[in-house]
Amino acid sequence: MTETQPRPQRPAILVFTQAVLALQAFTALFAALTVFGLARGEALSEHPYSLILSMIVGGFVLMLLLLLAAGVQQRRWGRWLGWVLQVPMLVAGLVVPAIAVMGAVFVALWIMALRLGGKIDRERAERDEAAAAAETDDGVGAAEGDHA
């Protein structure tokens, strides 16, 4: 019977950042649909049509970019892409302030994902290091006791 090795635990920072960006992608989609609905209802009539259209298309593009960024979080540039993609939702608040509020919430979640994920990963590494050191100490003591 072969014993299977347990899968290594995924880094917490990776799990958290991917989750935040994936959820933000859905929020960008719904924000684009909200802008479309507001434009159809003529609630945004004070803004030029080209701005409204660019916000709708931009929302869909932002959604795709956020999903891409969620997929590349294991790369260093993926984190930078995540930072850059926080900006468009804040800027969209110039037209629909509620989108900026959602963007600010996601900026806070992004910062928390980076900080808490990094902290958890450091604590896991320390725990694994301590366990490995304890295992080595036990192994050395047992080997010396066998030779005596």
Side-chain angles (χ1 to χ4, degrees):
M1 183 182 287
T2 61
E3 189 175 312
T4 60
Q5 293 287 342
R7 288 179 54 189
Q9 199 169 26
R10 291 178 63 205
I13 196 166
L14 180 63
V15 173
F16 291 169
T17 55
Q18 286 179 330
V20 168
L21 292 173
L23 290 171
Q24 191 173 7
F26 286 109
T27 303
L29 170 66
F30 294 132
L33 293 173
T34 299
V35 169
F36 175 74
L38 290 172
R40 265 187 74 115
E42 298 182 10
L44 299 177
S45 59
E46 68 273 5
H47 298 288
Y49 178 75
S50 60
L51 175 65
I52 302 301
L53 184 61
S54 65
M55 283 190 64
I56 294 169
V57 171
F60 287 108
V61 170
L62 179 61
M63 177 196 67
L64 294 174
L65 288 172
L66 285 163
L67 290 173
L68 170 76
V72 296
Q73 283 303 295
Q74 68 274 14
R75 296 184 176 94
R76 185 164 186 82
W77 61 268
R79 302 270 160 70
W80 285 106
L81 181 59
W83 274 111
V84 169
L85 292 177
Q86 299 305 310
V87 175
M89 288 186 76
L90 296 171
V91 172
L94 296 173
V95 176
V96 181
I99 296 174
V101 172
M102 291 184 290
V105 167
F106 276 102
V107 167
L109 289 172
W110 179 251
I111 292 168
M112 286 177 48
L114 292 171
R115 289 182 52 104
L116 292 177
K119 181 180 178 184
I120 290 170
D121 289 339
R122 283 189 301 276
E123 290 172 356
R124 282 181 183 168
E126 290 170 4
R127 184 188 67 218
D128 291 345
E129 228 174 71
E135 197 172 282
T136 303
D137 290 344
D138 290 344
V140 170
E144 288 174 357
D146 290 340
H147 295 297

